[in-house]
Amino acid sequence: MSINQNGIIVPAAAAALMALAAAGCGSSKSAALPAADFSDDPSVIEITGSAPVATVGMVPRARIYRTSAPSDSLVPVTVSPTGNFVTSYPAPTDLVAPPQHLADGWLLDHRGITPQSVFTRYTYSEYRSLPAAPSADELLHSLDPSVVCALLRSTGREDIDYVIEDLEAMGFFTAPASVRNHFNYAGGLVEHSLGVYDAAMMLREGVLARRPDLEKKLPVESVIIASLLHDVCKANIYRLVTRKRKNEIGTWEDIEEYEVNYAELPIGHGEKSVVMLLRMGFYLEDDEILAIRWHMGPWAVDTGSIEQDRSYRQAIANTPLLPLIHTADTVSSQILERNA
């Protein structure tokens, strides 16, 4: 069984077995396996487009799969194609056993792995000991950041695995998105970034339905990069602290909350994200730089600066990616992340 360069996962035999290469984060830099043409094989799972989605030609009786990082002890759940909400998850009593180890790193699935599966941080033993299943939101907070990593890898940018390593090292995957506003908990920044990606792709689809001539100016690769990495600057500014606060009955208790510390590279917001990415050695197109730099839109413009005002206006004129990402950021933070 192998994976060709188009992301097609190939069955080992004509039996009804399917495989899923669920690429996790981490420092895996394994070389691509040999390419092959299995376009006429009805049992092939093909990962299409930029998002981690798949088309399935037949329903298997069993699945075997392998991952780029160790995950055999972690509980999988099923997520939406954009990865920003959980669609299916097990009860603790449903977990019988972890996957069975086969040859060459392949695993025999006992849980129902699909092309939409991602791994939580729960081990099988931890999950089985729970009195009840966590909520879908709680499981979303516990997800391994493999969805973001898979999307970033789908761009094909050189040295993307090294960039992912740097993102992990600086705390991107565990940082909150804010102190007291949207997604102010560990992992919130990744959730917000996926929400911006989701909104950006929806907006892109709507725009191209009316303006198909803009397709080359709004490449999927650039939408992925600008939406997922626009807030990299937040990865190292939040600190978890413990403060005393009175509860509802007037008793003092310890409360953990985040505070902001701008001491490290205090050069602004969007511009800091750009500088941090370039320092990683990550190549950014001009349009991506502009979209990330000005993703806050007019809120990032010093109205007293003629130079900033003219630069922002010119940036909008240069690329539609900028207003697309700014609008997606607003839609995600002010609408999709709004409390019910």
Side-chain angles (χ1 to χ4, degrees):
M1 186 170 290
S2 63
I3 306 173
N4 76 9
Q5 291 174 348
N6 296 318
I8 296 178
I9 301 170
V10 181
L17 294 176
M18 292 188 180
L20 169 65
C25 289
S27 57
S28 171
K29 297 182 180 64
S30 56
L33 296 172
D37 182 10
F38 291 88
S39 55
D40 295 328
D41 191 329
S43 64
V44 165
I45 294 179
E46 181 178 359
I47 300 177
T48 59
S50 61
V53 299
T55 56
V56 180
M58 59 183 290
V59 177
R61 296 181 181 177
R63 290 186 178 92
I64 59 175
Y65 68 100
R66 62 181 175 183
T67 63
S68 63
S71 61
D72 53 300
S73 65
L74 302 178
V75 175
V77 295
T78 306
V79 297
S80 63
T82 52
N84 61 339
F85 59 91
V86 175
T87 59
S88 177
Y89 55 93
T93 54
D94 290 341
L95 294 183
V96 179
Q100 180 180 343
H101 285 258
L102 304 175
D104 299 325
W106 291 98
L107 301 168
L108 175 62
D109 172 43
H110 295 305
R111 260 297 310 144
I113 289 287
T114 76
Q116 295 301 137
S117 294
V118 295
F119 296 94
T120 68
R121 294 188 175 92
Y122 286 104
T123 65
Y124 275 76
S125 59
E126 290 171 341
Y127 199 89
R128 280 197 297 258
S129 68
L130 297 175
S135 68
D137 283 344
E138 289 171 331
L139 285 169
L140 190 63
H141 302 164
S142 75
L143 290 185
D144 180 272
S146 58
V147 175
V148 170
C149 298
L151 285 168
L152 291 174
R153 288 188 177 109
S154 75
T155 65
R157 289 291 171 90
E158 187 177 0
D159 294 332
I160 189 63
D161 279 314
Y162 293 100
V163 173
I164 290 172
E165 276 190 1
D166 287 342
L167 292 173
E168 288 184 304
M170 70 175 58
F172 177 78
F173 295 105
T174 56
S178 67
V179 173
R180 296 182 182 85
N181 299 315
H182 63 123
F183 290 175
N184 57 337
Y185 43 76
L189 180 56
V190 166
E191 286 187 54
H192 167 66
S193 301
L194 282 169
V196 176
Y197 162 76
D198 194 12
M201 292 300 288
M202 289 189 292
L203 288 167
R204 178 182 182 273
E205 182 180 0
V207 167
L208 295 185
R210 297 286 299 273
R211 291 287 306 273
D213 58 302
L214 292 177
E215 184 171 9
K216 290 185 177 179
K217 293 183 178 294
L218 294 171
V220 169
E221 174 185 329
S222 292
V223 174
I224 291 172
I225 289 169
S227 61
L228 291 181
L229 302 179
H230 71 285
D231 269 348
V232 164
C233 58
K234 292 183 176 182
N236 62 5
I237 65 172
Y238 297 117
R239 305 287 184 272
L240 194 61
V241 297
T242 302
R243 292 192 170 95
K244 293 287 187 181
R245 187 171 295 174
K246 284 187 177 181
N247 58 25
E248 61 274 7
I249 61 173
T251 302
W252 289 98
E253 60 183 8
D254 290 338
I255 299 293
E256 283 193 337
E257 61 183 18
Y258 287 97
E259 68 176 13
V260 183
N261 187 326
Y262 293 110
E264 191 169 343
L265 197 63
I267 60 172
H269 187 70
E271 52 267 65
K272 181 179 177 180
S273 289
V274 170
V275 170
M276 290 173 70
L277 291 168
L278 294 177
R279 276 185 167 182
M280 296 177 198
F282 189 45
Y283 175 77
L284 293 172
E285 298 285 355
D286 287 357
D287 288 0
E288 294 159 4
I289 290 175
L290 294 177
I292 294 173
R293 162 63 181 94
W294 296 109
H295 74 265
M296 295 290 289
W299 303 109
V301 179
D302 179 358
T303 56
S305 169
I306 295 177
E307 182 179 14
Q308 274 207 15
D309 180 69
R310 290 180 177 176
S311 293
Y312 174 65
R313 292 175 186 274
Q314 185 61 53
I316 291 179
N318 284 8
T319 175
L321 184 65
L322 189 165
L324 183 88
I325 297 300
H326 167 57
T327 304
D329 189 26
T330 303
V331 168
S332 182
S333 60
Q334 302 300 321
I335 300 177
L336 298 181
E337 299 168 27
R338 183 186 293 265
N339 292 331

